[in-house]
Amino acid sequence: MTPSDRDRYSRQILFAGVGEQGQQCLLDARVAVAGCGALGSFQAGALARAGVGFLRIIDRDYVELSNLQRQWLFDECDVEQGMPKAAAAARKIAGINSGVRVEPAVADLTPSNVEDLLGGVDLILDGTDNFETRYLINDFAVERGVPWVYGAAVGSYGIAMPVIPGKTSCLRCIYPDPPPGAQPTCETAGVLGSVTALIASWQVSEAIKILCGAQPTRKMTTVDVWTGDIRQVAQPGPVADCPACGRREFPYLAGERRAPVSLCGQNAVQIHERTRPLELRDLAARLAPLGPVRANEFALRFEVPPYLLTIFPDGRAIIKGTTDVGIARSLYARYIGA
Ligand SMILES: [Zn+2]
């Protein structure tokens, strides 16, 4: 550690839980931030300030004006320049802490690139906005024995839980399968910036403990910043018959549980969800404030220019206006919840 490092991180080193040894662990650490929206941008900035030596920042989206209310690393300049979030985050972090090596990846995290994007790191932080990607992260992390920290926030509510493969329960120990039906998303239910910062901050604290060799919180923590309620449930050890921890089955990693996607027509992508029965009229009511929507019992049509989403009761969707699979998945995750 250089004298400049000792000065920069002096307050963190003074904290007994970290100390000089813990700080050295952070400087040597490699972390992947999966998703750089509200949670991920806070995580990436906080880890850079804490001195984590290497950050791989993965995100498929571009910075939009409606992100700035809660996505801490971004500003109006990023919106004007149409910056990808991963690249905008890397640029911002270079100014926060030039000692951190940042590898931005403008990509949709999928079974085919998960090895490249999540490989070779000591810890993975969940900054995603959908269950499909979280289950992929869980499969990868459990299979490789890499710790990860789950986190999610919508409305005024958030949840966080560290996963140490082999020591704690994993996401599938607790939720063997993703929740069925359409899920509330930040696009349909809104979100307070404060709850995203709180959850991301909790995840970062767990990450720092794990990287320093300290004990993470063995609890699942849920908070609601509007009602002021905080709940914690003890986190068990690995569950014997968990498909991931116990039976070592990794269908998300193999791509078997991924909603297949196909190009469809000139300028459209089809997402064929397997078993996601949707109540189209309920979904229409949720989407109505966001743009023109029409629904009957057979299909729902929702316009978000330049895109047109047609959604069917079995969960299938056709997204017109793009041939980019990543954009199609992103729209599906935002408006239907995946
Ligand atoms: Zn498990």
Side-chain angles (χ1 to χ4, degrees):
M1 202 180 299
T2 64
S4 157
D5 283 343
R6 267 197 195 87
D7 182 30
R8 177 187 278 261
Y9 306 114
S10 57
R11 306 304 189 272
Q12 197 164 269
I13 291 169
L14 273 170
F15 175 70
V18 176
E20 188 155 327
Q21 208 181 340
Q23 186 61 51
Q24 191 58 54
C25 292
L26 296 178
L27 291 167
D28 295 338
R30 296 170 60 87
V31 173
V33 175
C36 195
L39 297 178
S41 63
F42 186 100
Q43 293 160 1
L47 291 176
R49 288 183 193 276
V52 167
F54 172 87
L55 293 173
R56 189 179 295 130
I57 300 176
I58 307 151
D59 195 281
R60 61 189 174 188
D61 287 327
Y62 290 75
V63 183
E64 294 171 33
L65 188 61
S66 63
N67 300 152
L68 300 186
Q69 163 250 358
R70 64 194 180 284
Q71 303 193 8
W72 297 83
L73 275 184
F74 309 133
D75 57 34
E76 293 176 2
C77 186
D78 299 320
V79 178
E80 278 157 28
Q81 295 177 359
M83 289 288 285
K85 291 182 183 179
R91 181 167 78 178
K92 207 59 53 75
I93 288 170
I96 292 171
N97 188 343
S98 58
V100 176
R101 198 152 71 80
V102 183
E103 203 176 272
V106 183
D108 187 25
L109 190 61
T110 67
S112 57
N113 62 18
V114 69
E115 170 71 47
D116 290 340
L117 296 177
L118 299 185
V121 298
D122 306 305
L123 182 137
I124 302 160
L125 271 169
D126 174 15
T128 67
D129 60 358
N130 66 87
F131 277 101
E132 186 176 350
T133 314
R134 287 194 184 101
Y135 279 73
L136 174 62
I137 294 171
N138 190 70
D139 263 11
F140 182 87
V142 171
E143 206 250 348
R144 298 300 173 86
V146 180
W148 73 285
V149 188
Y150 163 56
V154 67
S156 59
Y157 170 85
I159 183 164
M161 180 180 76
V163 173
I164 316 288
K167 292 196 175 141
T168 71
S169 49
C170 78
L171 188 63
R172 292 198 81 191
C173 290
I174 294 172
Y175 307 113
D177 293 298
Q183 296 300 310
T185 71
C186 295
E187 272 68 21
T188 58
V191 64
L192 292 176
S194 57
V195 73
T196 64
L198 195 158
I199 290 298
S201 189
W202 192 277
Q203 290 177 278
V204 166
S205 307
E206 297 300 338
I208 287 175
K209 281 188 268 183
I210 294 165
L211 294 170
C212 289
Q215 287 302 312
T217 306
R218 291 285 300 266
K219 289 169 185 167
M220 180 188 274
T221 302
T222 61
V223 296
D224 187 319
V225 295
W226 204 254
T227 62
D229 292 325
I230 303 173
R231 286 186 55 204
Q232 289 190 305
V233 181
Q235 186 184 10
V239 172
D241 66 346
C242 165
C245 296
R247 303 205 297 269
R248 309 284 301 168
E249 297 164 3
F250 304 110
Y252 295 90
L253 206 51
E256 291 156 18
R257 299 294 292 273
R258 187 167 172 80
V261 164
S262 59
L263 295 182
C264 155
Q266 282 285 341
N267 190 26
V269 174
Q270 178 167 222
I271 297 186
H272 328 245
E273 271 280 329
R274 302 141 315 264
T275 47
R276 178 187 288 271
L278 296 173
E279 273 303 327
L280 295 183
R281 287 182 204 284
D282 292 351
L283 185 59
R286 255 192 260 175
L287 295 173
L290 305 172
V293 59
R294 275 185 298 143
N296 56 30
E297 65 211 273
F298 307 111
L300 178 154
R301 285 163 76 85
F302 173 57
E303 282 178 54
V304 254
Y307 309 108
L308 172 66
L309 281 66
T310 306
I311 300 153
F312 301 95
D314 62 355
R316 190 165 57 89
I318 293 173
I319 289 122
K320 263 191 100 166
T322 184
T323 51
D324 184 322
V325 168
I327 290 175
R329 282 193 190 285
S330 174
L331 290 165
Y332 194 97
R334 282 195 206 180
Y335 294 109
I336 299 155

